[in-house]
Amino acid sequence: MKVIDAVKVNRKFVNGKETAHVLKDIDLSVEQGEFISIMGPSGSGKSTLLYLLGGLDMPSEGTVSINGTDLSTLKDKELCAMRNEKVGFVFQFYNLVPNLSVEDNIALPLMIAGKKRSSYKDNLEKCLEIIGMKDKRKLTPRELSGGQQQRVAIARALVFDPDIIFLDEPIGNLDSKTGTSLMELFGEINRKYNKTIVQVTHSESAALYGTKLVKLVDGQIQSVEDIVSGKIVKNMREKEDAVS
């Protein structure tokens, strides 16, 4: 089932008399349960595309739909509700509230939405279990490592039990060992809980945790390749051709 559909998407930014055409005629669909990795050089439009797919920004031309609904047709209140409940975001910077505990940082979106603690207690416990931090629930961010803080941010993105999770350079601030641990966690969340994941990354090793690789160059999709068992299928075929 198609959960995200971008059709002829363009994004232009106007600065005085100059217009920057950041994304050009993007066609991209994402199926339920896929793990899409978007790669490309700096300035290629990766994060802009991610924000459009997640409803944080709107295209200058074209349409982006989530679960069959064109995001441009939603009123502001409906769009906010969709972003809060149907999708989750994990960014490079953790954006945790320093004086709140781990569990309160995770539950913050629910508290803002006016949910009673009794109504989300079970879901909070599940999120703490997923990130492996039940024993650190009362700690504050300053008592955590960078990797642990990012795990809290991941749990916060999961707390509404969203269909789709968007990742913007989620391991960009972490050392390689911690980054690998988190990518394994994202892979588990994708497979075990059937969450659709769309990530932007500079790291090819991180991209290979996905099921599909989208290469973006100069605001255009250069290629879309399948990933099987951590390897790009196209490259595997090229090697096979070379051997034969």
Side-chain angles (χ1 to χ4, degrees), residues 30-174:
V30 181
E31 299 289 327
Q32 170 66 40
E34 283 191 313
F35 187 157
I36 306 296
S37 296
I38 302 172
M39 288 192 73
S42 296
S44 59
K46 302 185 299 298
S47 289
T48 300
L49 177 56
L50 190 80
Y51 298 158
L52 290 173
L53 297 178
L56 293 177
D57 190 16
M58 289 293 158
S60 305
E61 300 164 13
T63 61
V64 174
S65 301
I66 290 182
N67 293 326
T69 300
D70 180 349
L71 300 186
S72 67
T73 65
L74 298 178
K75 296 177 181 178
D76 287 346
K77 189 174 182 180
E78 295 171 324
L79 190 59
C80 285
M82 184 279 298
R83 287 196 300 253
N84 286 337
E85 299 176 16
K86 301 299 181 183
V87 303
F89 291 92
V90 179
F91 299 99
Q92 182 175 351
F93 301 100
Y94 322 126
N95 299 321
L96 303 179
V97 180
N99 60 333
L100 291 184
S101 66
V102 164
E103 62 181 7
D104 284 343
N105 264 290
I106 295 171
L108 188 58
L110 298 170
M111 291 189 282
I112 291 173
K115 305 287 186 181
K116 293 183 179 180
R117 196 174 189 88
S118 58
S119 70
Y120 60 77
K121 182 180 178 182
D122 290 346
N123 205 20
L124 177 60
E125 290 296 322
K126 180 181 176 181
C127 290
L128 284 165
E129 182 177 351
I130 289 171
I131 64 170
M133 290 183 62
K134 278 190 171 185
D135 59 331
K136 293 178 174 59
R137 62 195 305 151
K138 296 300 182 182
L139 300 183
T140 59
R142 65 176 63 89
E143 299 172 279
L144 305 175
S145 67
Q148 290 170 335
Q149 289 185 61
Q150 190 63 301
R151 284 177 178 267
V152 177
I154 293 166
R156 184 180 57 196
L158 290 170
V159 76
F160 261 115
D161 195 22
D163 301 321
I164 309 164
I165 303 170
F166 293 96
L167 314 175
D168 190 6
E169 296 285 0
I171 62 171
N173 282 339
L174 304 172

Side-chain angles (χ1 to χ4, degrees), residues 164-207:
I164 309 164
I165 303 170
F166 293 96
L167 314 175
D168 190 6
E169 296 285 0
I171 62 171
N173 282 339
L174 304 172
D175 63 81
S176 59
K177 183 178 179 181
T178 304
T180 296
S181 176
L182 283 178
M183 290 312 306
E184 290 173 352
L185 175 60
F186 288 129
E188 180 183 358
I189 290 169
N190 169 245
R191 295 186 302 272
K192 186 174 180 180
Y193 301 99
N194 196 33
K195 299 295 183 185
T196 303
I197 297 179
V198 181
Q199 77 160 334
V200 159
T201 181
H202 279 96
S203 167
E204 184 170 344
S205 61

